[in-house]
Amino acid sequence: MSEPHTLAAPADDLFTFWPRHQEALYARLESKHAWLEERHGLGDGRVHDALEHEMTLNIGPQHPATHGVLRAVVKLDGETIERCVIDIGYLHRGTEKLAEHKTYQEFMPYTDRMDYIAPYAYNVGWCLAVEKLAAIEVPERAQWIRMIGSELARLSSHMLWMGVGLMDAGAVSVFLWAFQAREDIYKIMDEIAGARFTVSHSRIGGVANDLTPEALRLIRDFVDRYPDIINGWRKLLTRNRIWMDRNVGIGVLTADEAIALGMRGPNLRGSGIAHDIRLFEPYLKYADVDFTIPTRTEGDSYARYLCRMEEMLESIAIIRQCLERIKPGPIRNDDGRKAVVSKDQAYYSMEGMIQDFMYTSEGVCPPRGAHTYAAIEAPKGELGFYLTSDGTGQPFRARINTPSFANLQGLEHLMEGAQMGDMVVLIGTVDPVLGDSDK
Amino acid sequence: MESLKFHFTPVDAARPNAVNPHAQPTTDRPEAVAMLRDAFGDGVTGDETYAGETTVFVAKGRIAEALQRLHADGYSYLADLGGLDRFTEDDRYEVFYNVCDLHRGRRLRVKTRVDESDLHLPSATGVYRSANWFEREVFDMFGLVFDGHEDLRRMFMPEDFQYYPLRKEFPLLGIPGSLPLPGHLPGEDLSYDPFPAASSPTPKSFQEPEVSGE
């Protein structure tokens, strides 16, 4: 390892942060192979004239349409994006490194901060991964509760995508409706977990607390009201001329491209690949409920819109089935070495207190050398945790495989050849969350 | 004095045949191991199974070929690629490839080990286009160099950063002076220390801050 270099003193007139980084980024933009130039060179009617038309534009990381701290450096030929280099990492917090220094249960709240749009699904993903690593069984009721929470998270995420996506395209009212709807989900989360945003409700071996009658009432009410509301949105948008003009034929990904680029979730399903972890590797109780995976073959931005809207209705159908089939019972594994004991036991019994103490300080210890990959279908696609254990209470290595990271890689490809005016729609259609991609 | 080591759960080694309640049928792939052994002979250095998940170890030099073979066999989707620091004398680093066959519902983990003395290994970008950013991430976090990768820049950290944070010897708090950051007050000079409070030799005061306005 080399010595830390000392930065050259910035020039008086122009100061640049991280000069080497900027230099490498722009050098990449220049050296990148541009398939668009090649196509123009082949003489399909257009003559490529670089003179006077080229422009390098830096979008983000503070631009509001980039949904966070996404930075795209594009080279424009007139209005056409010729090359695009995406720079991420502005929200990098070293989550994987942090995980190596926490017990498995201690790390769970950090997963809230990854995809902060759908934290419940990430809690569940982490807990399922640890349960697989340590072979911990989960009571049925907890699995149903987790499913309800995960599907609510999916609804919340897709609603945010719809709201901000339409706001980017110019329809501010849909943004307000979507946030009104998300407020209802927040109320449910508040009732389920005691927190609106960073829920941290799932525990290794179960969930923190049971659903209250009020929470069940709120969920039932939500499930009854929302199919009509979502259908209302679809009625407004699906044949809406402006929305169709902005989306049909924009950002087309063929099935082969989507697989080669490693796209995930609705971005993959919009291109005709019916890949969903809920079907591919059914976790929780997804094998027992009846639902379909909405898939479109067009592969454009509009197809992804249709997939997500249908997925919202499917999620509501899944929640409805969960509510029908959920039975009273324990909500957490009863073994004090595998799951955190209830507060009643911790406060009023000696064994419970000892177990609580040991669980907090040492926690779950999976066998030495165990390594497993557990994936869930997060709202944005496959979310996987590849955990390696060295037999202690802290993961030796926690690899977090996030959907937004893979999708953003595809965005670079989608942008090239697109019109500058479509850039905002394309970012919206890929649905990135930078907390998720940057870890 | 020998320190007493107490473990809440006795540390036992992972048993390959233990029943796991969460095992998935997609990941148990003995036929893929057999296929790779047939095709590569000594190139396949081992395989193991835990929780119904098959892992194949392939020699570093032949990893791109092995992935090409798997790609031709239907494992056309790269779900994950990452690095791991085993912190051992030999074969310190490990790179894992998680490949899927979306049509037949199969998932396989391929691993290759990289010794500290030679951090180069072949890039998988020729086989899986999506390996691009994942390999950049491994380069950023572990410093492994993927030969044949056309754009091996850091993924998350800026190029000005010269360490590899996920290596085991890298401290959790970071290295003071490794990243220039803006000062804490407007007009202040650049601070070269991302963690001034954590790494300062003496705290300003051990007293709790006084409550003002009372």
Side-chain angles (χ1 to χ4, degrees):
Chain A
M1 185 157 309
S2 53
E3 289 292 307
H5 64 282
T6 48
L7 276 181
D12 288 339
D13 52 343
L14 187 69
F15 168 68
T16 341
F17 240 145
W18 299 337
R20 291 185 190 190
H21 185 68
Q22 313 297 345
E23 206 178 291
L25 193 67
Y26 286 103
R28 168 64 183 159
L29 188 71
E30 289 306 318
S31 68
K32 196 171 183 187
H33 173 76
W35 57 271
L36 200 68
E37 280 172 10
E38 203 171 74
R39 198 177 67 189
H40 290 166
L42 291 175
D44 58 345
R46 285 179 61 188
V47 183
H48 177 63
D49 177 18
L51 205 66
E52 312 257 329
H53 295 287
E54 292 204 337
M55 177 177 169
T56 304
L57 194 61
N58 186 65
I59 305 143
Q62 294 97 344
H63 194 282
T66 57
H67 294 210
V69 286
L70 177 68
R71 179 181 179 194
V73 185
V74 293
K75 194 164 187 192
L76 299 171
D77 175 15
E79 286 267 323
T80 313
I81 299 175
E82 199 172 73
R83 301 172 194 184
C84 166
V85 177
I86 287 176
D87 185 28
I88 62 170
Y90 290 90
L91 201 52
H92 179 61
R93 293 147 295 180
T95 310
E96 292 178 357
K97 186 83 180 173
L98 285 167
E100 291 174 12
H101 296 264
K102 306 269 171 220
T103 66
Y104 291 94
Q105 183 59 62
E106 260 178 340
F107 182 69
M108 189 273 298
Y110 284 77
T111 58
D112 282 334
R113 277 84 181 163
M114 284 163 50
D115 184 353
Y116 35 75
I117 308 301
Y120 203 107
Y122 278 59
N123 295 165
V124 170
W126 172 258
C127 291
L128 284 169
V130 180
E131 282 152 13
K132 188 172 186 185
L133 186 71
I136 296 171
E137 292 192 33
V138 185
E140 283 220 353
R141 187 174 171 85
Q143 298 192 27
W144 291 113
I145 293 174
R146 282 177 175 188
M147 258 172 85
I148 293 173
S150 304
E151 292 306 319
L152 283 172
R154 190 182 317 281
L155 281 159
S156 172
S157 166
H158 283 3
M159 280 171 184
L160 184 116
W161 155 80
M162 187 191 74
V164 295
L166 272 131
M167 192 173 65
D168 290 345
V172 182
S173 47
V174 183
F175 177 76
L176 298 175
W177 299 341
F179 270 72
Q180 225 168 14
R182 295 189 75 229
E183 183 62 30
D184 286 344
I185 297 178
Y186 282 155
K187 276 185 194 142
I188 296 173
M189 287 298 174
D190 194 6
E191 193 57 38
I192 291 179
R196 286 157 54 84
F197 203 60
T198 47
V199 287
S200 296
H201 183 237
S202 199
R203 294 284 181 274
I204 293 161
V207 291
N209 50 283
D210 206 345
L211 295 181
T212 57
E214 174 65 6
L216 281 169
R217 191 190 65 76
L218 283 174
I219 297 167
R220 285 213 175 86
D221 179 51
F222 182 89
V223 168
D224 289 342
R225 278 191 302 130
Y226 268 85
D228 288 346
I229 295 176
I230 292 170
N231 280 324
W233 295 339
R234 290 170 78 195
K235 216 164 150 186
L236 175 80
L237 297 172
T238 305
R239 303 300 300 169
N240 184 308
R241 184 169 163 192
I242 304 173
W243 184 236
M244 284 184 79
D245 281 351
R246 293 302 301 269
N247 283 283
V248 176
I250 302 297
V252 180
L253 268 185
T254 64
D256 289 344
E257 276 173 344
I259 286 187
L261 288 166
M263 299 300 274
R264 296 185 191 176
N267 297 320
L268 193 58
R269 295 193 281 273
S271 297
I273 316 285
H275 178 60
D276 189 314
I277 304 293
R278 291 175 292 175
L279 276 190
F280 190 75
E281 289 169 343
Y283 53 96
L284 297 177
K285 291 278 174 193
Y286 281 108
D288 298 355
V289 294
D290 192 20
F291 65 103
T292 58
I293 304 298
T295 308
R296 304 288 298 190
T297 50
E298 294 90 340
D300 60 355
S301 184
Y302 188 65
R304 295 188 274 273
Y305 152 78
L306 291 171
C307 281
R308 289 200 177 97
M309 293 308 262
E310 281 172 45
E311 263 178 39
M312 283 200 231
L313 294 174
E314 288 298 327
S315 290
I316 289 182
I318 293 173
I319 297 175
R320 189 170 280 143
Q321 292 176 56
C322 293
L323 289 173
E324 277 165 18
R325 301 188 55 180
I326 190 167
K327 297 273 186 315
I331 51 143
R332 207 160 48 232
N333 196 312
D334 205 22
D335 189 339
R337 288 176 301 175
K338 291 177 175 169
V340 65
V341 297
S342 71
K343 290 290 173 220
D344 281 351
Q345 281 172 310
Y347 290 152
Y348 300 112
S349 87
M350 195 66 218
E351 295 81 359
M353 198 195 74
I354 294 168
Q355 282 170 343
D356 189 57
F357 185 81
M358 288 310 296
Y359 196 83
T360 309
S361 58
E362 193 135 345
V364 177
C365 297
R368 174 165 32 84
H371 58 110
T372 56
Y373 179 81
I376 66 159
E377 185 71 19
K380 291 167 182 71
E382 173 177 346
L383 164 76
F385 292 96
Y386 176 52
L387 305 179
T388 307
S389 164
D390 57 353
T392 63
Q394 298 168 341
F396 182 72
R397 166 94 168 99
R399 158 76 185 159
I400 306 167
N401 179 20
T402 55
S404 294
F405 182 75
N407 284 335
L408 276 177
Q409 180 168 212
L411 177 63
E412 210 170 86
H413 171 82
L414 280 180
M415 294 259 251
E416 287 175 2
Q419 295 292 301
M420 189 57 203
D422 294 332
M423 182 208 76
V424 175
V425 172
L426 287 177
I427 295 175
T429 190
V430 162
D431 194 16
V433 165
L434 274 294
D436 185 26
S437 70
D438 287 2
K439 289 183 281 199
Chain B
M1 200 179 114
E2 195 183 336
S3 64
L4 277 176
K5 192 86 176 148
F6 177 72
H7 289 287
F8 184 33
T9 309
V11 175
D12 55 349
R15 289 187 300 277
N17 298 322
V19 178
N20 191 302
H22 307 285
Q24 298 281 357
T26 49
T27 52
D28 191 16
R29 301 265 70 94
E31 81 284 351
V33 181
M35 183 198 74
L36 285 176
R37 277 193 191 281
D38 277 352
F40 293 96
D42 290 345
V44 177
T45 50
D47 65 285
E48 64 179 61
T49 304
Y50 177 75
E53 295 183 7
T54 307
T55 308
V56 196
F57 290 89
V58 176
K60 185 175 86 169
R62 309 196 71 182
I63 185 73
E65 287 169 69
L67 290 172
Q68 186 73 58
R69 183 80 181 74
L70 286 168
H71 190 281
D73 190 47
Y75 290 93
S76 56
Y77 184 77
L78 181 75
D80 190 14
L81 192 165
L84 193 154
D85 181 4
R86 299 165 65 231
F87 211 51
T88 51
E89 288 280 323
D90 304 318
D91 292 340
R92 177 169 165 187
Y93 299 103
E94 211 167 62
V95 178
F96 49 85
Y97 304 78
N98 190 331
V99 290
C100 284
D101 181 347
L102 301 188
H103 299 291
R104 272 172 283 182
R106 301 184 290 174
R107 191 195 279 281
L108 178 72
R109 186 184 306 121
V110 185
K111 274 189 175 183
T112 187
R113 287 188 172 163
V114 181
D115 196 77
E116 211 173 351
S117 58
D118 177 19
L119 294 174
H120 291 255
L121 72 157
S123 166
T125 44
V127 187
Y128 298 102
R129 207 175 142 191
S130 54
N132 181 353
W133 277 25
F134 290 105
E135 288 184 351
R136 282 178 61 192
E137 191 188 344
V138 176
F139 167 67
D140 188 1
M141 293 293 150
F142 295 95
L144 302 185
V145 182
F146 292 87
D147 295 331
H149 191 294
E150 61 157 16
D151 177 32
L152 203 61
R153 286 178 294 130
R154 282 179 173 270
M155 192 72 242
F156 297 130
M157 304 303 288
E159 296 292 317
D160 308 64
F161 187 69
Q162 298 202 327
Y163 298 94
Y164 301 109
L166 274 179
R167 285 185 179 175
K168 286 287 177 188
E169 79 268 11
F170 187 85
L172 179 64
L173 279 177
I175 291 173
S178 55
L179 273 180
L181 289 175
H184 297 280
L185 295 169
E188 217 174 61
D189 284 343
L190 270 189
S191 134
Y192 287 87
D193 188 353
F195 306 101
S199 58
S200 75
T202 48
K204 280 185 188 142
S205 159
F206 291 101
Q207 299 293 316
E208 280 189 23
E210 280 180 25
V211 182
S212 57
E214 276 191 3

